[in-house]
Amino acid sequence: MTDTLRSGAANDTWDEPVDPRVLVDFIHREQALLDERDYRRWLNLLTDDCTYVIGSLDAQARPQDEVVALVYDDRSRIEGRIARLESGFAHAENPPSRTRHFNS
């Protein structure tokens, strides 16, 4: 399997059906890259027009137009975060953050 799985159109539809096992394998590969702190290869999984959002804990209790995001990054911002992590000057990352995976 390659390290990429990209949607076929701007409206996030797929050109053809995707086998669920391929999606599961992709998610496990993404998790492994994060666990290995291989952020450059993880970044290659994302499209150029990606948006990475981490909502606040009360996001589900609020109407969509009132949700506050803790992180709302585009690819450029993600690249900046990775550069900072790789620089050795991300002092809040000493010891490094751990990742947790919730699959359902």
Side-chain angles (χ1 to χ4, degrees):
M1 188 180 125
T2 65
D3 282 344
T4 60
L5 183 66
R6 299 184 188 271
S7 62
N11 63 357
D12 292 332
T13 60
W14 297 92
D15 290 335
E16 54 190 66
V18 177
D19 184 329
R21 293 171 295 189
V22 172
L23 294 174
V24 169
D25 289 345
F26 177 83
I27 290 168
H28 289 165
R29 181 69 187 136
E30 178 188 25
Q31 292 170 343
L33 290 171
L34 290 171
D35 289 344
E36 296 162 8
R37 294 180 178 77
D38 193 345
Y39 301 120
R40 292 290 167 182
R41 287 188 62 203
W42 174 79
L43 181 65
N44 288 333
L45 300 177
L46 306 179
T47 59
D48 292 338
D49 62 347
C50 70
T51 304
Y52 191 81
V53 180
I54 300 175
S56 62
L57 292 176
D58 66 345
Q60 293 181 354
R62 293 176 177 245
Q64 185 63 32
D65 60 344
E66 295 179 10
V67 172
V68 176
L70 301 174
V71 173
Y72 195 90
D73 290 353
D74 61 7
R75 186 178 178 101
S76 175
R77 179 71 176 128
I78 296 168
E79 289 171 349
R81 288 180 185 271
I82 291 171
R84 187 176 59 81
L85 286 170
E86 293 174 340
S87 73
F89 293 106
H91 301 295
E93 288 297 309
N94 188 8
S97 295
R98 294 181 288 177
T99 56
R100 297 190 76 185
H101 313 293
F102 298 94
N103 302 321
S104 62

